[in-house]
Structures are given as C-alpha cells and as structure tokens.
C-alpha cells in the first residue's frame, strides 16, 4: 500500500515540476524537442511496421496456391 502512495506522490510531483518547467522559454524548447523526437520515433516504427506488413502480405500471396 505504501508503494502505491509513493508512486502516486511521485507522479503528481512530476506533473507539477513539468508544468513549472514548461512555463519557461527553455522548458518549452526542451519539451518541443522531446515531442519532435517522440513523433519521429513513432513515425519510424509505423513505417517499419507497414513495410514489414507489405513484405509478409506479398510473400503470403506468392505462396498461396493458384486455382
């Protein structure tokens, strides 16, 4: 039970600190940079997934018996 309490306190403190940091010019720049990197990472994951999906669908179509 104590660990849940401390986890909740930590999350709340993190939100408070992030809010205070975001009020500064450097903080906004930092969070913008983090956001851009996270979006680029997510886009790379999605592109890789779609490429692999297309490869597997092509291989499955080639392996399917012709009627």
């Amino acid at each position: 039970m104590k660990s849940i309490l401390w986890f909740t306190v930590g999350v709340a403190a993190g939100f408070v600190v992030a809010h205070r940091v975001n009020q500064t010019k450097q903080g906004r720049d930092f969070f913008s940079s983090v956001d851009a990197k996270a979006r680029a990472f997510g886009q790379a994951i999605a592109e890789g997934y779609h490429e692999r999906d297309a490869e597997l669908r092509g291989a499955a179509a080639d392996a399917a018996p012709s009627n």
Side-chain angles (χ1 to χ4, degrees), residues 4-66:
I4 293 173
L5 174 68
W6 283 114
F7 177 75
T8 305
V9 169
V11 168
F15 277 114
V16 169
V17 169
H19 178 71
R20 301 279 288 187
V21 168
N22 195 38
Q23 291 177 342
T24 66
K25 171 77 169 115
Q26 295 87 359
R28 284 189 298 276
D29 291 344
F30 171 75
F31 285 125
S32 292
S33 172
V34 169
D35 183 54
K37 290 175 185 176
R39 287 180 190 274
F41 179 73
Q43 186 176 1
I45 295 293
E47 287 174 4
Y49 170 82
H50 292 300
E51 287 175 12
R52 183 64 177 150
D53 184 51
E55 289 174 8
L56 293 175
R57 287 183 188 272
D62 292 341
S66 299

